[in-house]
Amino acid sequence: QYKAYSWLVEKNYEPTSDILTIQRYALATLYFATAGAGWHNTSGWMTVDNECSWFGVTACNQRNMVTELALNENYLVGTIPLELSHLRMIESIDLSGNDLYGTIPTQLGWFEELEWLSLADNFLSGNVPSELGNIFTLSEVYLHFNDLEGDVPEQICELRPTAIGESDETTGLIEFWNDCGDDLPQVSCPENCCTRCFTADDAEASYSPTYEPTVIPTMNPTVDDVPALLENDDLRLFLIEHMDGFEDSLSTENIGTAQYEAYLWLANSNNLDELDVFQRVQRFGLVAFYLSTTAESDWKISNRWKTEQSECKWYGITCDDDEITVTEISLPRNRMSGTLPPEIALVGLGGKIEKLDLSSNQIGGAIPPQIGDLKNIEILNLRGNDFEGEVPTEIGNLSKLKILELQSNSLTGPMPSEICALRTKSLEQLGADCDQTNPLDEIICSESCCTTCF
């Protein structure tokens, strides 16, 4: 770590941003921790060149953030530094076929975008860290041909498709290889968890997988792919009766909309009769929200959504102690598009939803005024989307709101006085695009109202 820091100082590195400085520091730490001077190929490394041009950095995004790192079979010798976890946008890491030893850092569980991880064919020891189970984006993990031992943590097994409610092997952790093939295996893997188990006798020339970026599927299946869903007039009338203000969404004139498709899905659920009044309405609202925000592509992570498992187990949802009532929806940076439907307010019927975080997605259209019905919400984060139009005055009804983030959108007009009035009550933080020195900002907000203008 000190060598990496010293190198940054000696090279008089002038960062364009703090996050890129941290990225360069993380890569330099990896270099020094794995005897970089002895690597087979060090092209570009430890030079002033952009790290996206360094050998093994096979892809970066538009902001020069590293997304793919492939240093397999490159004579790396040493331990994996925890600083590797500072590559915040990394999607694939291949360090296989080297001489790495020591344990797998638990900090790798901090990755939020990682899809593919190969540490195979090294000398890594210790247990498989349970923290890898925190990476909901993982699709392939290869840990075979190492000296790992112990039980595979259930947190990782819960990422497998069958565990997240998927019927096929296209979502979740679809490949997980380990040294679990002997009668007395090094690694003990529960049934249906590891997809391939290796033994000590297996040749090291066995198939070595390569990373292929995820292809985002379209949401336009053919008619033959979609089974016919049956109507249930009793359920439709039931929902209309218990959803004051939302009757039109289930009108037969709206067949084909996200709301009507949500009703049809609920009507054809095998466990419909097991759901009480509140659960039916809440689940309808959640599925309408899901279908409305998958207009252009699937979400990045949608584990268990639109399945018959309890919505409390759906990715991004937190529930009350009763394991029924949703208290939080947190889905930042999840590749969401489309629009935010009014039915999102139905999730708050239990009166306990406290947080809604949909930041850094591509949700467009207007912010529905019904969001003002979430009476107990404390955190509302909609920043970094494509919302347009004026900020609804109904947000001023949220008397318990503490944090409101609206910046990095295309919203226009004055900040409603009803929202500004909350600044004398509970509202501690209010962000918007109201920097008057920026000609692109179109929100008008006084200093006494908005705490931060972007």
Side-chain angles (χ1 to χ4, degrees):
Q1 291 86 345
Y2 186 77
K3 287 182 178 179
Y5 164 74
S6 298
W7 171 75
L8 284 174
V9 173
E10 291 171 1
K11 289 293 183 181
N12 294 318
Y13 174 63
E14 296 182 2
T16 55
S17 68
D18 290 344
I19 196 168
L20 290 178
T21 301
I22 294 173
Q23 172 176 276
R24 178 163 286 219
Y25 169 73
L27 290 171
T29 302
L30 174 65
Y31 177 88
F32 287 115
T34 57
W39 289 2
H40 178 68
N41 191 331
T42 60
S43 177
W45 282 78
M46 315 314 290
T47 69
V48 295
D49 294 343
N50 187 304
E51 49 266 39
C52 293
S53 67
W54 295 1
F55 172 78
V57 178
T58 53
C60 288
N61 64 18
Q62 293 179 342
R63 294 180 294 163
N64 288 324
M65 299 291 292
V66 176
T67 58
E68 297 178 23
L69 181 64
L71 292 169
N72 51 303
E73 300 181 358
N74 199 44
Y75 299 166
L76 277 68
V77 180
T79 59
I80 301 173
L82 62 87
E83 286 77 11
L84 191 65
S85 61
H86 294 319
L87 301 179
R88 306 308 295 171
M89 301 303 293
I90 198 79
E91 296 176 3
S92 78
I93 297 175
D94 189 351
L95 301 180
S96 62
N98 287 295
D99 292 325
L100 300 174
Y101 53 84
T103 59
I104 300 174
T106 59
Q107 289 81 0
L108 297 191
W110 295 350
F111 288 123
E112 296 180 346
E113 308 289 339
L114 190 66
E115 300 176 4
W116 198 95
L117 174 64
S118 181
L119 304 177
D121 196 11
N122 280 287
F123 298 97
L124 298 170
S125 57
N127 295 323
V128 178
S130 61
E131 287 78 4
L132 294 182
N134 297 333
I135 312 175
F136 295 103
T137 50
L138 278 177
S139 61
E140 299 181 41
V141 175
Y142 302 98
L143 303 178
H144 56 294
F145 297 137
N146 275 292
D147 296 321
L148 298 169
E149 58 186 7
D151 297 333
V152 171
E154 61 179 282
Q155 293 93 328
I156 300 177
C157 297
E158 289 175 354
L159 299 178
R160 292 278 295 129
T162 52
I164 63 175
E166 298 293 337
S167 58
D168 57 25
E169 296 280 324
T170 60
T171 304
L173 184 58
I174 58 176
E175 292 290 352
F176 186 32
W177 296 9
N178 261 303
D179 295 320
C180 49
D182 290 315
D183 292 336
L184 295 174
Q186 293 177 224
V187 175
S188 177
C189 199
E191 185 178 2
N192 298 323
C193 183
C194 293
T195 58
R196 185 168 178 181
C197 285
F198 291 82
T199 70
D201 296 330
D202 284 323
E204 294 193 8
S206 295
Y207 167 67
S208 179
T210 55
Y211 173 66
E212 295 182 7
T214 300
V215 177
I216 303 174
T218 63
M219 296 297 293
N220 299 309
T222 63
V223 174
D224 293 338
D225 293 331
V226 182
L229 296 177
L230 302 177
E231 294 273 356
N232 184 330
D233 285 336
D234 289 341
L235 175 65
R236 188 169 67 84
L237 295 174
F238 168 87
L239 290 173
I240 291 174
E241 179 183 352
H242 290 86
M243 297 190 308
D244 184 31
F246 294 90
E247 296 87 350
D248 291 343
S249 64
L250 292 184
S251 166
T252 53
E253 297 177 358
N254 288 324
I255 293 177
T257 63
Q259 291 83 350
Y260 207 88
E261 292 300 313
Y263 143 68
L264 287 176
W265 174 82
L266 186 61
N268 288 266
S269 297
N270 293 325
N271 63 342
L272 176 62
D273 293 338
E274 301 173 11
L275 305 177
D276 62 23
V277 174
F278 168 71
Q279 288 175 297
R280 292 184 182 190
V281 174
Q282 175 172 264
R283 188 165 290 198
F284 166 75
L286 286 169
V287 175
F289 161 66
Y290 172 79
L291 294 174
S292 294
T293 52
T294 53
E296 298 175 12
S297 66
D298 285 332
W299 291 357
K300 183 166 188 177
I301 311 173
S302 58
N303 296 356
R304 299 185 179 92
W305 276 80
K306 222 180 99 173
T307 70
E308 294 175 0
Q309 294 192 41
S310 167
E311 49 265 49
C312 296
K313 295 182 179 180
W314 296 2
Y315 173 74
I317 284 184
T318 302
C319 284
D320 197 6
D321 293 338
D322 62 7
E323 297 186 355
I324 295 177
T325 308
V326 173
T327 58
E328 178 179 324
I329 301 176
S330 185
L331 294 164
R333 299 193 307 277
N334 203 39
R335 204 189 289 142
M336 303 166 75
S337 56
T339 59
L340 183 61
E343 287 74 17
I344 189 66
L346 296 175
V347 184
L349 283 176
K352 293 186 177 180
I353 190 164
E354 299 172 354
K355 178 180 179 180
L356 178 62
D357 185 356
L358 305 179
S359 59
S360 301
N361 284 290
Q362 295 178 310
I363 305 172
I367 299 174
Q370 290 83 355
I371 205 118
D373 294 337
L374 302 175
K375 302 297 185 182
N376 287 288
I377 199 164
E378 297 180 359
I379 299 174
L380 178 58
N381 191 345
L382 302 179
R383 71 185 183 199
N385 280 283
D386 297 321
F387 288 113
E388 57 188 14
E390 296 188 349
V391 180
T393 60
E394 288 80 0
I395 293 180
N397 298 332
L398 306 177
S399 60
K400 296 183 180 181
L401 190 63
K402 296 180 179 178
I403 298 175
L404 176 60
E405 300 283 1
L406 299 174
Q407 65 268 26
S408 300
N409 280 288
S410 299
L411 298 167
T412 59
M415 184 65 66
S417 58
E418 292 86 347
I419 297 177
C420 294
L422 296 177
R423 290 283 290 117
T424 62
K425 300 176 182 178
S426 61
L427 189 58
E428 302 170 359
Q429 182 174 321
L430 173 54
D433 296 319
C434 51
D435 184 355
Q436 298 307 302
T437 64
N438 186 344
L440 298 178
D441 284 1
E442 299 187 31
I443 290 288
I444 302 171
C445 191
S446 66
E447 293 182 2
S448 62
C449 181
C450 289
T451 58
T452 309
C453 283
F454 295 83

